[in-house]
């Protein structure tokens, strides 16, 4: 029942989606045409009543009611409520598809790890995969209406070959008020453990891998059962449905074309057919129909999951993998690229344009000469910048260090006498000493000019004593 159209939109062409608009199966027209016809019919009846059945006083009253409905209908948050609801439904629909039970990984482990080409080994492998398919069948019977119609009772399950009459007796003798899809999982685990004890599974790691895959398969089945059990809260579905229906009920009255002779605001034209109101109904009601179809993908709609096909496919493929294909290998021969280190599969003429060179990085097109030229330019510029930075550091070391120390300035009338600072001639460049200290006699460097030191200010209101200037400023 799933509608597939991927091949029709494989390439983006001019109006590539226009062919999809003409489809009927799975289309919005098929879902919405009944509601759309009903809405048009009700709108037409009200329009005819307003134009031909009402008196003038009644028409004036209807016009007031129409303006009232048109004004307050827009206050219904249809877009917000409906958009959030559809997003929730689509995410739920996709998660259910992701958790569909597929036995492929499990049948690979069984085919490769359960040894024995005799009758008992074949029986062991086929029984294991039959228990796997029986587990998924019991889940699909409980969540899918199409599968339930196909297998309404356990007798139909036995007739289909998923369960033997003896297994049915054991299954029905187990008293439990809950869904008993887990019983085949227990049978599978016990039978796998028995195969390990008998040496059919030669390694405990292989047994662990098989049981882990079975647990994953059981998790998928339990997830589908959980989605069927706990749905979207009913109150949310009711709110969305009432919001959409109430909005369009108000539009039936509020979007009527009124008499232009009354010169009412917004009613200058009388077009008879509300084109944009019909488009709005088509989009909003269609949006609600999408949520209605996807909220349970195990029904019988056009886009619901093919649960019966999944059951048939899983049984046929899994039995084939563990029985006829068990250790049935083709003869090994040398491949056609045996002595060719550069294997290049051929292209047809139709696919010749898809043969492209390998991507080696965005810097592949850069030549070596350009890189060396950049290195020479960068080297010369770096040397110049290094020299300039040394000179700049020598010139700005005085002001840079002192400005970090001084953050408060005293008012001009309260400033104490300013001591004179000069550069020390020792190796500790950047240290400053006042003239109150004993001169070391080193006159290698000239004293700093007054313009350079004119920005120096005392932080403390009391001038420091000579004893306090026994060392340099802290760095």
């Amino acid at each position: 029942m799933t509608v597939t159209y991927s091949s029709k939109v494989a390439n983006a062409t001019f109006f590539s989606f226009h062919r999809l608009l003409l489809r009927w199966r799975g289309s919005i027209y098929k879902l919405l045409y009944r509601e759309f016809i009903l809405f048009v019919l009700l709108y037409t009846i009200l329009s005819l009543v307003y134009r031909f059945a009402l008196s003038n006083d009644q028409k004036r009253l209807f016009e007031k009611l129409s303006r009232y409905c048109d004004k307050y209908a827009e206050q219904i948050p249809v877009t917000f409520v409906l958009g959030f609801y559809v997003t929730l439904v689509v995410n739920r629909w996709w998660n259910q598809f992701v958790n569909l039970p597929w036995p492929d990984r499990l049948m690979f482990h069984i085919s490769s790890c359960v040894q024995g080409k005799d009758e008992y080994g074949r029986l062991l492998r086929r029984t294991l995969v039959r228990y796997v398919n029986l587990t998924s069948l019991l889940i699909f019977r409980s969540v899918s209406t199409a599968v339930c119609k196909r297998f309404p009772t356990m007798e139909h399950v036995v007739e289909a070959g998923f369960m033997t009459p003896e297994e049915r007796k054991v299954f029905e003798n187990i008293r439990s008020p809950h869904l008993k899809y887990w019983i085949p999982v227990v049978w599978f685990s016990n039978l796998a453990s028995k195969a390990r004890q008998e040496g059919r599974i030669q390694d405990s790691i292989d047994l662990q891998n098989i049981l882990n895959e079975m647990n994953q398969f059981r998790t998928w089945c339990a997830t589908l059962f959980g989605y069927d059990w706990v749905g979207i809260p009913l109150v949310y579905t009711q709110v969305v449905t009432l919001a959409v229906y109430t909005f369009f009920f108000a539009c039936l009255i509020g979007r009527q074309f009124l008499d232009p002779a009354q010169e009412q605001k917004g009613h200058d034209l009388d077009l008879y057919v509300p084109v944009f109101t019909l488009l709005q109904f088509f989009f909003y009601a269609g949006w609600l129909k999408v949520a209605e179809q996807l909220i349970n993908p195990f029904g019988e709609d056009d886009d619901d999951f093919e649960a019966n096909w999944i059951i048939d496919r899983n049984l046929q493929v899994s039995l084939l993998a563990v029985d006829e294909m068990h250790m049935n290998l083709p003869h090994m021969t040398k491949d056609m690229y045996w002595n060719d280190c550069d294997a290049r599969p051929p292209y047809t003429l139709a696919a010749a344009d898809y043969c492209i060179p390998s991507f080696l990085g965005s810097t592949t097109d850069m030549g070596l000469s350009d890189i060396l030229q950049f290195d020479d330019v960068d080297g010369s510029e770096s040397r110049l910048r290094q020299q300039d930075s040394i000179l700049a550091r020598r010139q700005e070391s005085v002001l840079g260090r002192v400005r970090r120390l001084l953050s408060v300035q005293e008012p001009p009338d309260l400033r104490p006498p300013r001591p004179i600072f000069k550069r020390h001639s020792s190796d500790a460049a950047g240290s400053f000493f006042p003239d109150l200290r004993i001169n070391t006699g080193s006159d290698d460097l000239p004293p700093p000019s007054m313009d350079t030191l004119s920005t120096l200010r005392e932080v403390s209101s009391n001038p420091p004593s000579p004893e306090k200037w026994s060392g340099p400023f802290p760095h």
Side-chain angles (χ1 to χ4, degrees):
M1 289 183 290
T2 303
V3 180
T4 302
Y5 58 91
S6 301
S7 61
K8 303 298 181 181
V9 293
N11 300 320
T13 58
F14 184 69
F15 282 118
S16 59
F17 279 2
H18 75 283
R19 290 170 292 184
L20 303 179
L21 299 178
L22 303 178
R23 290 182 171 229
W24 175 255
R25 182 170 177 265
S27 65
I28 187 62
Y29 320 118
K30 184 178 179 180
L31 284 176
L32 196 61
Y33 76 93
R34 298 179 184 87
E35 290 83 355
F36 187 79
I37 292 175
L38 179 61
F39 181 80
V40 173
L41 182 61
L42 292 177
Y43 184 91
T44 304
I45 292 174
L46 285 177
S47 179
L48 293 177
V49 169
Y50 166 71
R51 295 174 188 274
F52 303 108
L54 299 181
S55 62
N56 291 333
D57 294 338
Q58 292 174 343
K59 286 183 178 181
R60 303 293 85 81
L61 181 61
F62 182 84
E63 290 168 358
K64 292 180 181 179
L65 179 62
S66 177
R67 292 194 301 270
Y68 176 82
C69 292
D70 186 38
K71 177 180 178 182
Y72 289 100
E74 299 299 333
Q75 297 184 3
I76 301 176
V78 179
T79 304
F80 172 75
V81 175
L82 189 58
F84 186 79
Y85 181 75
V86 173
T87 302
L88 182 62
V89 170
V90 172
N91 290 335
R92 174 187 173 90
W93 168 79
W94 181 251
N95 288 334
Q96 292 183 72
F97 174 76
V98 171
N99 287 280
L100 288 176
W102 303 97
D104 296 44
R105 295 174 56 179
L106 194 52
M107 70 186 186
F108 298 153
H109 280 80
I110 294 174
S111 180
S112 60
C113 298
V114 181
Q115 305 299 324
K117 303 186 70 174
D118 55 345
E119 191 71 18
Y120 180 75
R122 181 185 177 189
L123 177 63
L124 184 60
R125 290 188 298 272
R126 291 179 67 93
T127 304
L128 288 173
V129 296
R130 187 166 56 82
Y131 288 159
V132 173
N133 287 277
L134 178 59
T135 303
S136 62
L137 175 61
L138 295 178
I139 283 293
F140 282 132
R141 283 185 69 248
S142 65
V143 301
S144 175
T145 58
V147 177
C148 187
K149 289 181 179 180
R150 183 182 178 185
F151 305 98
T153 63
M154 294 303 297
E155 183 65 28
H156 294 81
V157 176
V158 175
E159 292 177 358
F162 289 90
M163 182 184 291
T164 63
E166 293 77 11
E167 292 170 350
R168 178 191 172 188
K169 293 179 181 179
V170 176
F171 184 86
E172 293 178 347
N173 290 332
I174 299 176
R175 301 298 178 183
S176 176
H178 310 292
L179 182 65
K180 296 187 289 185
Y181 76 95
W182 48 269
I183 293 179
V185 179
V186 178
W187 292 347
F188 179 94
S189 303
N190 294 333
L191 186 58
S193 300
K194 180 181 178 182
R196 174 69 182 98
Q197 295 173 0
E198 295 174 350
R200 297 287 179 166
I201 300 178
Q202 299 178 356
D203 197 336
S204 298
I205 297 179
D206 294 335
L207 176 61
Q208 182 181 3
N209 291 334
I210 292 175
L211 295 180
N212 288 338
E213 291 297 333
M214 188 60 191
N215 285 330
Q216 179 62 45
F217 189 85
R218 187 213 60 84
T219 301
W220 291 335
C221 295
T223 302
L224 295 184
F225 180 75
Y227 275 113
D228 183 69
W229 176 33
V230 181
I232 298 176
L234 178 62
V235 60
Y236 195 12
T237 304
Q238 291 175 341
V239 167
V240 174
T241 305
L242 288 176
V244 175
Y245 288 167
T246 305
F247 175 78
F248 285 108
F249 179 78
C251 289
L252 286 175
I253 303 175
R255 301 294 175 85
Q256 292 286 339
F257 287 102
L258 305 181
D259 187 5
Q262 300 299 320
E263 298 181 355
Q264 302 181 52
K265 184 178 179 181
H267 293 276
D268 300 331
L269 296 176
D270 189 3
L271 299 179
Y272 297 95
V273 180
V275 178
F276 290 99
T277 302
L278 295 180
L279 289 176
Q280 195 173 25
F281 178 85
F282 189 81
F283 297 145
Y284 283 175
W287 214 356
L288 183 63
K289 279 294 181 179
V290 169
E292 181 181 331
Q293 186 175 20
L294 299 183
I295 194 171
N296 183 11
F298 293 102
E300 300 177 58
D301 296 324
D302 289 339
D303 278 311
D304 286 341
F305 299 152
E306 299 283 358
N308 282 311
W309 175 86
I310 294 174
I311 292 172
D312 298 340
R313 181 263 176 195
N314 288 347
L315 180 63
Q316 194 271 337
V317 171
S318 58
L319 291 177
L320 183 65
V322 301
D323 190 5
E324 296 183 14
M325 296 187 62
H326 175 67
M327 297 302 171
N328 186 10
L329 302 176
H331 179 68
M332 291 188 299
T333 58
K334 295 182 180 180
D335 58 85
M336 61 182 301
Y337 306 106
W338 183 262
N339 294 321
D340 189 2
C341 61
D342 188 14
R344 292 179 179 271
Y347 283 81
T348 61
L349 291 178
D353 294 337
Y354 302 110
C355 182
I356 59 176
S358 300
F359 179 72
L360 302 178
S362 58
T363 61
T364 306
D365 297 334
M366 296 180 61
L368 184 60
S369 58
D370 297 335
I371 298 176
L372 295 178
Q373 182 179 359
F374 292 153
D375 290 341
D376 295 339
V377 174
D378 293 341
S380 60
E381 291 180 355
S382 62
R383 286 192 295 271
L384 292 175
R385 286 196 299 268
Q386 185 177 4
Q387 295 176 0
D388 294 340
S389 63
I390 293 175
L391 294 176
R393 284 198 299 270
R394 290 179 178 176
Q395 294 176 0
E396 296 179 0
S397 60
V398 175
L399 297 179
R401 293 178 182 274
V402 173
R403 285 170 181 169
R404 287 195 296 269
L405 295 174
L406 302 179
S407 59
V408 179
Q409 294 185 359
E410 295 293 335
D413 53 347
L414 299 178
R415 292 176 189 154
R418 182 181 67 222
I420 300 176
F421 292 85
K422 64 188 300 183
R423 187 186 297 273
H424 194 266
S425 60
S426 63
D427 294 336
S431 300
F432 299 95
F433 299 87
D435 281 347
L436 297 175
R437 289 192 58 186
I438 299 175
N439 192 357
T440 57
S442 300
D443 296 331
D444 297 337
L445 296 176
S449 62
M450 296 303 295
D451 295 337
T452 305
L453 300 177
S454 61
T455 60
L456 300 178
R457 297 291 185 269
E458 286 292 323
V459 178
S460 176
S461 60
N462 297 323
S465 61
E467 289 78 12
K468 292 184 181 181
W469 292 98
S470 60
F473 283 108
H475 295 282

